[in-house]
Amino acid sequence: MTNNFTRRSRKGILFVISAPSGGGKSTLVKRVIGSLPNMQLSVSHTTRSIRQGEEEGRDYYFVSKDTFKGMIERGEFLEWADVFGNYYGTSYKSIETATAAGKDLILDIDIQGADQLRKKGCECSYIFVLPPSISLLMARLEARGTNSQDDIKTRIGKAREEISHYKDYDYIVVNDRLEEAAGSLESIIVAERARLKNMTEEIRGLDL
Ligand code: ADP
Ligand code: 5GP
């Protein structure tokens, strides 16, 4: 597997989004993918079981632990982590397919994965989504209805530690009112796209 991804010149921008579980990443990401052109979600591999409403290949590639371990051994992951007792990882292949098509990509990954990308020197835009409060975070996880009470306890238990990492990120989105949070995320993406280093190709195409 190639590792030229970390060194490649700007083609597609990589947006890394982290938040505690229930923070609203999936909801916000779906919004901006629906509202902005040329955005795509990176589809991770996971060993957790599929939830109601999820689709293989759209939300995740659902694989066994043995398959996942084989992929680790073959160096197929840009990053991977053990989150709540299951493996999650971003394969080079899933990223290269999307960026080769000229899309900007959103990576919905946890703080461990984001840390690995920073250490690899990935030129990503790092965004952290904060909930307004822990009690609201818990209420949202309960209302989502996809996790058992035990699972919710584990996720809330980890939330404070995860939240303490917000300082490592470039941008913060507070997910209080959904419309405003989605607007804030869109603005971040639009501003990143307008950075000089990301505008070179477009400028070359102008009649100047
Ligand atoms: P994550 O992907 O970070 O685990 P989700 O996007 O699944 O979180 O959000 C958790 C739950 O909270 C979902 O049921 C979602 O509909 C709800 N939710 C997300 N953002 C808001 C918000 N701003 N206000 C109210 N409910 C929200
Ligand atoms: P969930 O089980 O709720 O879909 O995701 C649980 C956590 O795993 C979330 O914090 C999510 O961001 C993280 N996650 C999802 N995919 C990946 C991945 O490819 N790599 C890493 N490191 N974390 C991931």
Side-chain angles (χ1 to χ4, degrees):
M1 271 300 141
T2 66
N3 190 9
N4 61 0
F5 154 75
T6 52
R7 291 183 296 276
R8 76 196 161 76
S9 62
R10 274 269 155 267
K11 262 248 146 131
I13 307 171
L14 298 177
F15 294 95
V16 170
I17 303 203
S18 302
S21 181
K25 289 178 309 277
S26 317
T27 310
L28 289 168
V29 164
K30 271 183 201 136
R31 287 253 179 159
V32 297
I33 284 176
S35 62
L36 293 175
N38 284 323
M39 291 299 309
Q40 196 164 314
L41 178 67
S42 156
V43 181
S44 298
H45 284 70
T46 183
T47 60
R48 84 149 161 76
S49 33
I50 189 163
R51 291 180 191 144
Q52 205 176 2
E54 287 184 329
E55 225 176 80
E56 162 71 22
R58 185 195 66 186
D59 298 284
Y60 283 105
Y61 299 108
F62 296 92
V63 295
S64 68
K65 277 205 166 152
D66 281 346
T67 302
F68 199 102
K69 283 179 184 163
M71 290 179 74
I72 296 173
E73 277 159 22
R74 291 191 297 276
E76 292 181 26
F77 287 116
L78 168 66
E79 63 75 35
W80 67 271
D82 181 335
V83 190
F84 312 123
N86 283 303
Y87 293 143
Y88 293 82
T90 307
S91 71
Y92 285 107
K93 197 171 158 196
S94 66
I95 289 203
E96 278 163 6
T97 311
T99 50
K103 305 255 186 184
D104 290 339
L105 201 57
I106 298 190
L107 276 65
D108 169 348
I109 62 176
D110 86 321
I111 51 170
Q112 305 172 75
D115 210 37
Q116 288 173 39
L117 295 191
R118 275 188 216 98
K119 286 188 175 132
K120 282 186 172 173
C122 289
E123 283 185 43
C124 309
S125 178
Y126 295 89
I127 305 166
F128 199 92
V129 179
L130 281 174
S133 68
I134 297 285
S135 56
L136 206 47
L137 182 68
M138 191 187 271
R140 286 179 184 168
L141 272 176
E142 278 169 355
R144 187 169 72 182
T146 52
N147 301 94
S148 67
Q149 277 304 320
D150 275 357
D151 199 15
I152 290 177
K153 267 193 202 147
T154 312
R155 284 169 190 246
I156 291 295
K158 271 203 77 181
R160 281 180 206 280
E161 149 65 8
E162 287 173 325
I163 285 170
S164 72
H165 288 261
Y166 75 85
K167 295 185 189 101
D168 301 331
Y169 289 71
D170 302 314
Y171 296 97
I172 302 297
V173 173
V174 178
N175 184 18
D176 191 353
R177 293 188 48 227
L178 188 57
E179 292 304 321
E180 282 171 24
S184 173
L185 184 56
E186 270 182 27
S187 306
I188 292 165
I189 291 170
V190 170
E192 279 294 311
R193 284 178 166 178
R195 274 184 187 273
L196 179 61
K197 66 178 181 180
N198 295 326
M199 287 296 286
T200 347
E201 271 178 45
E202 190 161 339
I203 292 169
R204 213 175 288 135
L206 299 177
D207 184 20
L208 298 173

CSV table of all heavy atoms in Angstrom, one decimal, residues 8 10-13 37-40 95-105 193 201:
chain,number,residue,atom,x,y,z
A,8,ARG,N,1.1,14.1,-0.4
A,8,ARG,CA,0.7,14.6,-1.7
A,8,ARG,C,0.3,16.1,-1.7
A,8,ARG,O,0.0,16.6,-0.6
A,8,ARG,CB,-0.5,13.7,-2.2
A,8,ARG,CG,-1.7,14.1,-1.5
A,8,ARG,CD,-2.7,13.0,-1.8
A,8,ARG,NE,-3.7,13.1,-0.7
A,8,ARG,CZ,-4.7,14.0,-0.8
A,8,ARG,NH1,-4.8,14.9,-1.8
A,8,ARG,NH2,-5.5,14.1,0.2
A,10,ARG,N,-2.0,19.4,-2.5
A,10,ARG,CA,-3.5,19.5,-2.4
A,10,ARG,C,-4.2,19.1,-3.6
A,10,ARG,O,-4.0,19.6,-4.7
A,10,ARG,CB,-3.8,21.0,-2.1
A,10,ARG,CG,-3.6,21.4,-0.7
A,10,ARG,CD,-5.0,21.2,0.0
A,10,ARG,NE,-4.7,20.9,1.4
A,10,ARG,CZ,-4.6,19.7,1.9
A,10,ARG,NH1,-4.8,18.7,1.2
A,10,ARG,NH2,-4.4,19.5,3.2
A,11,LYS,N,-5.1,18.2,-3.4
A,11,LYS,CA,-6.1,17.9,-4.5
A,11,LYS,C,-7.4,18.0,-3.8
A,11,LYS,O,-8.1,19.0,-3.9
A,11,LYS,CB,-5.8,16.5,-5.1
A,11,LYS,CG,-5.0,16.6,-6.3
A,11,LYS,CD,-5.9,16.2,-7.5
A,11,LYS,CE,-5.6,17.0,-8.7
A,11,LYS,NZ,-5.3,16.3,-9.9
A,12,GLY,N,-7.8,16.9,-3.1
A,12,GLY,CA,-8.9,17.0,-2.2
A,12,GLY,C,-8.5,17.4,-0.8
A,12,GLY,O,-7.5,17.0,-0.4
A,13,ILE,N,-9.3,18.2,-0.2
A,13,ILE,CA,-9.0,18.6,1.2
A,13,ILE,C,-9.5,17.5,2.1
A,13,ILE,O,-10.6,17.0,1.9
A,13,ILE,CB,-9.6,20.0,1.6
A,13,ILE,CG1,-9.2,21.0,0.5
A,13,ILE,CG2,-9.2,20.4,2.9
A,13,ILE,CD1,-9.9,22.4,0.7
A,37,PRO,N,-21.3,21.2,-2.6
A,37,PRO,CA,-20.9,20.3,-3.7
A,37,PRO,C,-19.5,19.7,-3.5
A,37,PRO,O,-18.7,20.2,-2.7
A,37,PRO,CB,-20.8,21.3,-4.9
A,37,PRO,CG,-20.5,22.6,-4.3
A,37,PRO,CD,-21.2,22.6,-3.0
A,38,ASN,N,-19.2,18.5,-4.1
A,38,ASN,CA,-17.9,17.9,-4.1
A,38,ASN,C,-17.4,17.5,-2.7
A,38,ASN,O,-16.2,17.5,-2.5
A,38,ASN,CB,-16.8,18.8,-4.8
A,38,ASN,CG,-17.0,18.8,-6.3
A,38,ASN,OD1,-17.3,17.7,-6.8
A,38,ASN,ND2,-16.8,19.9,-6.9
A,39,MET,N,-18.3,17.1,-1.9
A,39,MET,CA,-18.0,16.6,-0.5
A,39,MET,C,-18.3,15.1,-0.5
A,39,MET,O,-19.3,14.7,-1.0
A,39,MET,CB,-18.8,17.3,0.6
A,39,MET,CG,-18.5,18.7,0.9
A,39,MET,SD,-16.9,19.2,1.3
A,39,MET,CE,-16.6,18.0,2.7
A,40,GLN,N,-17.4,14.4,0.2
A,40,GLN,CA,-17.7,13.0,0.3
A,40,GLN,C,-17.3,12.5,1.7
A,40,GLN,O,-16.3,13.0,2.3
A,40,GLN,CB,-17.0,12.2,-0.7
A,40,GLN,CG,-17.5,10.8,-0.9
A,40,GLN,CD,-17.1,10.1,-2.2
A,40,GLN,OE1,-17.1,10.7,-3.2
A,40,GLN,NE2,-16.6,8.9,-2.1
A,95,ILE,N,-9.8,6.3,0.9
A,95,ILE,CA,-9.4,7.7,0.7
A,95,ILE,C,-9.0,8.0,-0.7
A,95,ILE,O,-9.4,9.0,-1.3
A,95,ILE,CB,-8.3,8.1,1.7
A,95,ILE,CG1,-8.9,8.1,3.1
A,95,ILE,CG2,-7.7,9.4,1.4
A,95,ILE,CD1,-8.1,8.9,4.0
A,96,GLU,N,-8.2,7.2,-1.2
A,96,GLU,CA,-7.6,7.4,-2.6
A,96,GLU,C,-8.7,7.4,-3.6
A,96,GLU,O,-8.7,8.2,-4.6
A,96,GLU,CB,-6.5,6.4,-2.9
A,96,GLU,CG,-5.2,6.9,-2.2
A,96,GLU,CD,-4.1,5.9,-2.1
A,96,GLU,OE1,-4.3,4.8,-2.7
A,96,GLU,OE2,-3.1,6.2,-1.5
A,97,THR,N,-9.7,6.5,-3.5
A,97,THR,CA,-10.8,6.5,-4.5
A,97,THR,C,-11.5,7.9,-4.5
A,97,THR,O,-11.8,8.4,-5.6
A,97,THR,CB,-11.8,5.4,-4.1
A,97,THR,OG1,-11.1,4.2,-3.8
A,97,THR,CG2,-12.8,5.2,-5.2
A,98,ALA,N,-11.8,8.4,-3.3
A,98,ALA,CA,-12.5,9.7,-3.3
A,98,ALA,C,-11.7,10.8,-3.7
A,98,ALA,O,-12.2,11.7,-4.5
A,98,ALA,CB,-13.0,9.9,-1.8
A,99,THR,N,-10.5,10.9,-3.3
A,99,THR,CA,-9.7,12.1,-3.6
A,99,THR,C,-9.2,12.1,-5.1
A,99,THR,O,-9.1,13.1,-5.7
A,99,THR,CB,-8.5,12.3,-2.7
A,99,THR,OG1,-7.8,11.1,-2.6
A,99,THR,CG2,-8.9,12.7,-1.3
A,100,ALA,N,-9.1,10.9,-5.6
A,100,ALA,CA,-8.8,10.8,-7.0
A,100,ALA,C,-9.9,11.4,-7.9
A,100,ALA,O,-9.7,11.9,-9.0
A,100,ALA,CB,-8.5,9.4,-7.5
A,101,ALA,N,-11.1,11.3,-7.4
A,101,ALA,CA,-12.3,11.8,-8.1
A,101,ALA,C,-12.4,13.3,-7.8
A,101,ALA,O,-13.4,14.0,-8.2
A,101,ALA,CB,-13.5,11.1,-7.7
A,102,GLY,N,-11.4,13.9,-7.2
A,102,GLY,CA,-11.4,15.4,-6.9
A,102,GLY,C,-12.3,15.9,-5.8
A,102,GLY,O,-12.6,17.1,-5.7
A,103,LYS,N,-12.8,14.9,-5.0
A,103,LYS,CA,-13.7,15.4,-3.9
A,103,LYS,C,-12.9,15.8,-2.7
A,103,LYS,O,-11.8,15.3,-2.4
A,103,LYS,CB,-14.6,14.2,-3.6
A,103,LYS,CG,-15.3,13.6,-4.7
A,103,LYS,CD,-16.7,14.0,-4.7
A,103,LYS,CE,-17.5,13.2,-5.8
A,103,LYS,NZ,-18.9,13.6,-5.8
A,104,ASP,N,-13.5,16.6,-1.9
A,104,ASP,CA,-13.0,16.9,-0.5
A,104,ASP,C,-13.7,15.8,0.4
A,104,ASP,O,-14.8,15.5,0.2
A,104,ASP,CB,-13.4,18.3,-0.1
A,104,ASP,CG,-12.6,19.4,-0.8
A,104,ASP,OD1,-11.6,19.0,-1.4
A,104,ASP,OD2,-13.1,20.5,-0.9
A,105,LEU,N,-12.9,15.4,1.3
A,105,LEU,CA,-13.3,14.2,2.1
A,105,LEU,C,-13.5,14.5,3.6
A,105,LEU,O,-12.6,15.2,4.1
A,105,LEU,CB,-12.2,13.1,1.9
A,105,LEU,CG,-12.6,11.7,2.1
A,105,LEU,CD1,-13.8,11.3,1.3
A,105,LEU,CD2,-11.4,10.8,1.8
A,193,ARG,N,-11.6,25.9,1.8
A,193,ARG,CA,-11.5,25.8,0.3
A,193,ARG,C,-10.9,27.1,-0.3
A,193,ARG,O,-10.3,27.0,-1.4
A,193,ARG,CB,-12.9,25.5,-0.3
A,193,ARG,CG,-13.3,24.1,0.0
A,193,ARG,CD,-14.7,23.8,-0.6
A,193,ARG,NE,-15.0,22.4,-0.7
A,193,ARG,CZ,-16.1,21.9,-1.1
A,193,ARG,NH1,-17.1,22.7,-1.5
A,193,ARG,NH2,-16.3,20.6,-1.2
A,201,GLU,N,-5.2,25.7,-8.4
A,201,GLU,CA,-5.8,25.1,-9.7
A,201,GLU,C,-6.9,26.0,-10.2
A,201,GLU,O,-6.9,26.3,-11.4
A,201,GLU,CB,-6.3,23.7,-9.5
A,201,GLU,CG,-5.2,22.7,-9.7
A,201,GLU,CD,-5.7,21.3,-9.4
A,201,GLU,OE1,-6.8,20.9,-9.9
A,201,GLU,OE2,-5.0,20.5,-8.7
